[in-house]
Amino acid sequence: MSDLTAIANLSILLVEPSEVQQKLIKKSLAQCGVTQIETASTQENALAALSNYHPDLVISSMYFSDGTADSLLQAIRSNSNTEQQAFMLVSSERNKRHLEQLRQSGVLAILPKPFSADEITRALKATLDIISEQEVELEHFDATLLRVLVVDDSRFARKHIIRVLAGMGIPEPVEAEDGKQAIEMLNNQSFDLIVTDYNMPEMDGKELTETVRSSNAYSHIPILMVSSEANDTHLANIAQAGVDAICDKPFEPATVKELLFKIMS
């Protein structure tokens, strides 16, 4: 099945209070071939719809009369029936603080208003990557045997990363809430890869990387850093610490596959 055919088969729940914006977004989706679209105008309506409708993707605005995209996503992630739901934000919001929690909760993509055809197509392809479960073919490793340590202080972010890795055939990794806990695990278990967040309490990703690289026991382990930092100085400091690759939040499957192939092969 081609990507275009697979995209056309996607089912969407669009959460948008404005009828004008609903029409514009539905028109853009229709141009990508997507026609299975249900709509909701409030958080209450969206959660009620999700109780009996299981879309491949929720596309949400930032603000509704009874909540925000953040409160909607927290409710979705807190329900065992919907916690794995793919979620995308469409918003003109530029406040980093408002967007950070969404990134930490495993939002698949953040698109501006208005968005381009390329941007929506890329986001829809990321949804396909999440639900298609295609194993990564690595030159020297069997992905199904990889021992991965995922380090992030956000439980929701860890779950999102684990789901992306699972979709590539990588078995459920070991989880750590911060760098300090990760070091304890590294001292007791063997790992083939570390996937770590940058901003964490106790010991952040940069400090974790420096500790790993200065160790005789596990300095060889590849490190994939996941960061929502856009500051060039911060990114340069991360790179100098000794990470093998840096991946942005949202954590896109296609990008992760490419980075894993590079650092593991």
Side-chain angles (χ1 to χ4, degrees):
M1 185 187 295
S2 69
D3 279 351
L4 290 178
T5 302
I7 285 174
N9 289 332
L10 288 173
S11 57
I12 308 288
L13 174 62
L14 173 61
V15 190
E16 169 59 66
S18 164
E19 289 188 11
V20 172
Q21 288 295 327
Q22 278 188 19
K23 288 180 180 179
L24 289 173
I25 295 172
K26 289 172 76 172
K27 182 179 179 181
S28 296
L29 290 169
Q31 289 171 346
C32 296
V34 180
T35 57
Q36 300 178 68
I37 307 169
E38 298 289 332
T39 58
S41 58
T42 66
Q43 176 171 311
E44 183 181 4
N45 292 157
L47 293 174
L50 288 172
S51 66
N52 50 41
Y53 176 53
H54 306 290
D56 296 311
L57 175 66
V58 171
I59 298 178
S60 176
S61 177
M62 176 63 93
Y63 300 106
F64 333 111
S65 61
D66 59 347
T68 65
D70 183 34
S71 62
L72 172 60
L73 185 53
Q74 294 298 319
I76 289 172
R77 293 285 183 255
S78 299
N79 185 326
S80 60
N81 294 322
T82 58
E83 63 179 354
Q84 300 294 344
Q85 176 66 59
F87 189 99
M88 181 174 82
L89 176 71
V90 177
S91 174
S92 54
E93 179 66 66
R94 291 293 179 269
N95 188 308
K96 182 179 177 181
R97 182 173 58 82
H98 290 165
L99 296 175
E100 183 62 23
Q101 185 59 45
L102 287 161
R103 291 192 175 98
Q104 294 292 347
S105 298
V107 65
L108 192 62
I110 298 176
L111 268 59
K113 283 184 180 180
F115 51 77
S116 68
D118 286 345
E119 287 169 327
I120 187 63
T121 300
R122 180 177 176 179
L124 293 175
K125 284 182 177 178
T127 304
L128 287 179
D129 287 337
I130 282 282
I131 64 179
S132 64
E133 299 191 0
Q134 294 182 349
E135 290 186 8
V136 181
E137 294 185 6
L138 302 173
E139 188 175 337
H140 302 298
F141 290 88
D142 179 348
T144 63
L145 299 177
L146 282 179
R147 297 162 298 179
V148 181
L149 175 61
V150 173
V151 192
D152 199 306
D153 58 312
S154 166
R155 181 174 66 87
F156 294 136
R158 293 198 306 272
K159 280 184 173 292
H160 178 63
I161 292 171
I162 289 168
R163 185 182 181 194
V164 172
L165 296 176
M168 300 176 193
I170 297 172
E172 189 166 331
V174 174
E175 300 178 50
E177 295 181 0
D178 54 45
K180 185 176 179 181
Q181 191 177 88
I183 294 299
E184 293 174 3
M185 293 175 175
L186 285 164
N187 287 329
N188 292 292
Q189 301 180 54
S190 297
F191 294 97
D192 302 306
L193 174 68
I194 298 169
V195 180
T196 180
D197 187 26
Y198 174 66
N199 291 309
M200 297 181 292
E202 293 290 336
M203 178 187 286
D204 65 23
K206 180 174 179 288
E207 293 168 325
L208 170 60
T209 300
E210 291 170 340
T211 302
V212 169
R213 291 293 174 251
S214 63
S215 164
N216 292 327
Y218 35 77
S219 61
H220 62 285
I221 302 175
I223 298 175
L224 171 60
M225 179 76 74
V226 184
S227 175
S228 55
E229 274 291 344
N231 185 298
D232 289 340
T233 302
H234 278 288
L235 294 177
N237 288 336
I238 294 170
Q240 289 173 4
V243 299
D244 294 270
I246 300 172
C247 181
D248 292 334
K249 285 185 179 179
F251 192 74
E252 288 193 2
T255 303
V256 176
K257 284 182 181 178
E258 183 180 337
L259 292 174
L260 280 182
F261 184 83
K262 288 180 179 178
I263 67 180
M264 300 304 295
S265 296

